[in-house]
Amino acid sequence: MYTSDSALRAFREARHTFIAGSRIDMGALATSLGVDRTSLFRWVGNRDRLLSEILWSLAVPTFDAAAAAAAPSGAARIVDVLDRFTADLIEAPYFRAFLTREPARALRLLTTTESDVQSRFVGRVTELVDRERIAGAFDPSPLSSEELARLLVRISESFTYADLISGETPDPARARATFEYVLRPVTITSGDR
């Protein structure tokens, strides 16, 4: 994330542009900030780096809100967090506008192993799985927490970007069904206590 005042100012303006559903143009951004492109690039890096930071800055509160509203523990919690997060991405107008406007760039920035966004997302899901494992509420075996997180992230990506990957309509209900199939959350009935 950016720390200098200049970089933060550029980031905030670019983020506002992105949320408004518009394409981020580095030349126009530099002009609006009253600087040359060289200064802008020095502050925020290239356009892909700036877009990655914007995407992650929007993903974090979305993920945190999903976690705050999710089931209390175990596989059900992991399913709920990922379901809510995936559904929110699928339904976010600014996100859909970006995917429609720049599909190849979006897939590269969001789904490749070189992607900062994907590695951070895998890290967040690994933490989620680990918290449930440490609490004794979920066992990811025979996979490690990180291996399971990578699989869950790929599932999320498959449904979030279905229109770009396979020409299908992104479907949060199918994503949830797949998370449930993989994680097999157990519902405890009153007779099981």
Side-chain angles (χ1 to χ4, degrees), residues 31-192:
T31 299
S32 73
L33 295 168
V35 299
D36 59 30
R37 287 173 55 99
T38 304
S39 296
L40 178 62
F41 278 79
R42 192 174 55 249
W43 296 343
V44 298
N46 65 23
R47 185 169 181 268
D48 284 354
R49 167 79 196 281
L50 179 58
L51 281 168
S52 293
E53 290 301 326
I54 290 167
L55 289 162
W56 185 246
S57 77
L58 295 167
V60 169
T62 305
F63 193 90
D64 291 347
S73 65
R77 176 169 180 71
I78 298 168
V79 167
D80 273 358
V81 171
L82 294 171
D83 169 49
R84 291 168 191 274
F85 180 76
T86 301
D88 287 346
L89 285 182
I90 289 171
E91 295 165 6
Y94 61 84
F95 192 67
R96 297 272 29 121
F98 173 59
L99 296 178
T100 302
R101 188 176 57 248
E102 301 183 65
R105 173 170 270 125
L107 287 177
R108 183 170 40 81
L109 293 179
L110 295 164
T111 67
T112 62
T113 54
E114 295 83 31
S115 163
D116 285 342
V117 177
Q118 188 194 62
S119 64
R120 290 170 175 178
F121 185 23
V122 169
R124 289 298 294 263
V125 177
T126 301
E127 291 171 10
L128 174 65
V129 172
D130 264 345
R131 277 193 297 275
E132 297 308 307
R133 181 186 57 77
I134 291 166
F138 178 75
D139 183 3
S141 296
L143 300 176
S144 70
S145 295
E146 183 179 351
E147 289 167 332
L148 179 58
R150 286 190 185 285
L151 173 63
L152 296 171
V153 165
R154 283 296 187 196
I155 291 168
S156 176
E157 292 170 348
S158 295
F159 288 99
T160 302
Y161 316 121
D163 49 345
L164 304 180
I165 296 169
S166 63
E168 297 179 16
T169 301
D171 186 349
R174 288 182 55 220
R176 182 177 182 90
T178 306
F179 292 134
E180 288 176 338
Y181 179 79
V182 170
L183 294 171
R184 306 280 180 171
V186 177
T187 303
I188 298 174
T189 62
S190 59
D192 295 334

Side-chain angles (χ1 to χ4, degrees), residues 4-21:
S4 77
D5 289 342
S6 300
L8 286 171
R9 187 167 55 103
F11 168 78
R12 287 185 190 115
E13 186 159 334
R15 188 175 189 262
H16 178 75
T17 300
F18 185 87
I19 291 171

